[in-house]
Structures are given as C-alpha cells and as structure tokens.
Amino acid sequence: MEYFTKKLDSTDVQRRLTLPENCLKDFPRDHEANLKFKDEEGQVWTFRCRVSPGRSSKPALSGDWFSFVRKKGLSTGDVIVIISDKEKDVAAGEHFKIKIKKSASTHHQN
C-alpha cells in the first residue's frame, strides 16, 4: 500500500488539486481518466485526473474535487492523505482512499 500527503494551497482549494510529481507512477502522460476516491465516511467521489504531456508529470485532479472541497469545508493549510493499493490498476479507475487532516488555523476560524 502506498500513500502520500499534501498540504493544500490556494490553487488546490480554488482551481484543481495538483498532486506530487510521479505519485501515480503508472499513470500515462497525456492521459485523462476518472479515478474513484472513497472518503472516511464511505462516500465515493469521482475525480478527473490528467497528466500533461509536457515536462511536468504532476497529475491534476478536477471534476468532483470542487464538490469534495465544499462538502468537507477544506481550506488552505488543510492536509489530505491519499492511500492507494499498488495491486490496483490506477489507469482503470480503481479506488483510492482519501483522508483529511484539518489545520489548526481552520479549526479556530469563525
């Protein structure tokens, strides 16, 4: 099982989630696919994943990502943890798990 974490920045919250370079090693460049993510409550979200053909190999997630951000109340500074099973076929849209760690500053806003 592999996992990675990412601290969300303003682009992640407002436009698209850019993942760390090469985090989806087997995902082909210049490719788009719908990937399924299951949250901690068991809800499945479909995020559109695209890896550009250029020099950067950073996958970007969009689609339901914005609904996920709103529903979960995510803000800049929050951290997401994405867990994948190496045995699953990423390009075929197999499930990942996604967890949220709210930043301390998010808890104190209001």
Side-chain angles (χ1 to χ4, degrees), residues 66-86:
F66 304 108
S67 298
F68 181 80
V69 168
R70 284 191 300 274
K71 170 102 189 231
K72 301 298 183 180
L74 297 179
S75 303
T76 301
D78 290 342
V79 174
I80 60 160
V81 179
I82 295 178
I83 303 162
S84 68
D85 188 337
K86 288 180 8 178

Side-chain angles (χ1 to χ4, degrees), residues 12-43:
D12 297 326
V13 173
Q14 298 169 3
R15 297 181 61 204
R16 67 184 171 278
L17 174 65
T18 305
L19 301 176
E21 193 167 352
N22 295 319
C23 69
L24 301 176
K25 295 177 183 77
D26 299 326
F27 198 84
R29 284 181 182 265
D30 195 23
H31 185 74
E32 289 187 42
N34 289 321
L35 302 180
K36 306 282 186 191
F37 289 78
K38 187 181 286 190
D39 68 18
E40 294 167 293
E41 293 149 5
Q43 182 173 349

Side-chain angles (χ1 to χ4, degrees), residues 83-100:
I83 303 162
S84 68
D85 188 337
K86 288 180 8 178
E87 302 301 315
K88 303 251 180 179
D89 183 355
V90 173
E94 294 293 338
H95 286 283
F96 293 85
K97 290 181 182 174
I98 187 166
K99 297 182 178 187
I100 300 165

